[in-house]
Amino acid sequence: MVARPLSAKDRNAVKRLHAQGKSRNDIARAIKRSPSTVSKLAAEQGLTFDRAPQVEAATAVRKADLAARRAQFAERLQDIAEREADKMSAPTLYWEWGGKDHKYAEKTAAEPIPGDRRSIMSIIATAVDRSIKLVPPRDDAGAESRSVIGDLIAGLATDYAARHGGPPPEPEEPEAADDDAP
């Protein structure tokens, strides 16, 4: 089978479809050529199929979306832990069905029995632990502020040096007051 020669129509179609944001494979299907031929025609015209900026932007958006979802889920886990903690000292209904006559009996206790309290504590611990793993607490919010201020001061010093040809002068110490003055 002999390959069809490349035409101006092929070149124009590649240029037009590329401008529309079509991928190399989409263009190849549209003009009934191989992807390598499309790449060759695009390269001749200085066109590329580098989508790194779009992929990077899409990845950043996806990461932000996932972070928001993790934060929402961490809040749900915290809510679960708080609801369970409320049960630790709440009146609790205990019931049983049995005996030789298969009777139903129930009793309300002032709070859960120790075994149930242990189970509740386990649920609380698991929910809080998972919540913290999803969205770790910030132990030192001041460190971030100090970092921002430090970056600001460094930027101002760099700007001063660029405009004045050297670092800013050191601040002068105030003169000490004369103790013998009237």
Side-chain angles (χ1 to χ4, degrees):
M1 190 161 159
V2 177
R4 177 169 52 116
L6 298 175
S7 68
K9 181 179 176 184
D10 291 329
R11 286 177 177 80
N12 290 337
V14 167
K15 187 174 185 177
R16 178 177 46 80
L17 293 170
H18 182 275
Q20 293 175 6
K22 301 288 185 184
S23 72
R24 181 190 67 161
N25 291 344
D26 288 341
I27 295 172
R29 281 189 288 276
I31 68 171
K32 296 182 176 45
R33 293 288 191 159
S34 71
S36 62
T37 300
V38 171
S39 292
K40 178 181 170 187
L41 291 171
E44 286 175 1
Q45 299 178 64
L47 306 173
T48 67
F49 291 99
D50 180 20
R51 294 184 53 218
Q54 292 95 337
V55 170
E56 185 177 338
T59 301
V61 167
R62 180 76 175 135
K63 284 181 179 180
D65 288 347
L66 287 173
R69 289 176 61 196
R70 278 193 305 276
Q72 288 173 343
F73 195 68
E75 285 183 33
R76 287 178 57 197
L77 289 170
Q78 188 65 35
D79 290 343
I80 290 168
E82 290 171 7
R83 274 195 317 272
E84 290 298 313
D86 290 342
K87 292 179 184 178
M88 291 292 284
S89 58
T92 305
L93 175 67
Y94 288 99
W95 56 271
E96 65 182 3
W97 184 270
K100 72 175 188 160
D101 298 327
H102 300 287
K103 290 189 177 182
Y104 174 80
E106 62 181 47
K107 174 186 171 187
T108 300
E111 59 184 32
I113 61 174
D116 290 343
R117 290 173 63 91
R118 225 178 356 265
S119 296
I120 292 169
M121 283 300 294
S122 177
I123 293 168
I124 293 169
T126 300
V128 169
D129 179 60
R130 296 304 184 257
S131 172
I132 288 171
K133 285 183 179 178
L134 287 171
V135 181
R138 294 186 181 206
D139 292 335
D140 187 10
E144 186 175 324
S145 297
R146 286 190 299 273
S147 172
V148 169
I149 292 169
D151 291 346
L152 177 62
I153 291 171
L156 290 171
T158 302
D159 181 61
Y160 183 93
R163 287 189 290 134
H164 298 285
E170 291 294 321
E172 294 181 17
E173 293 290 325
E175 292 187 25
D178 191 8
D179 290 336
D180 294 334

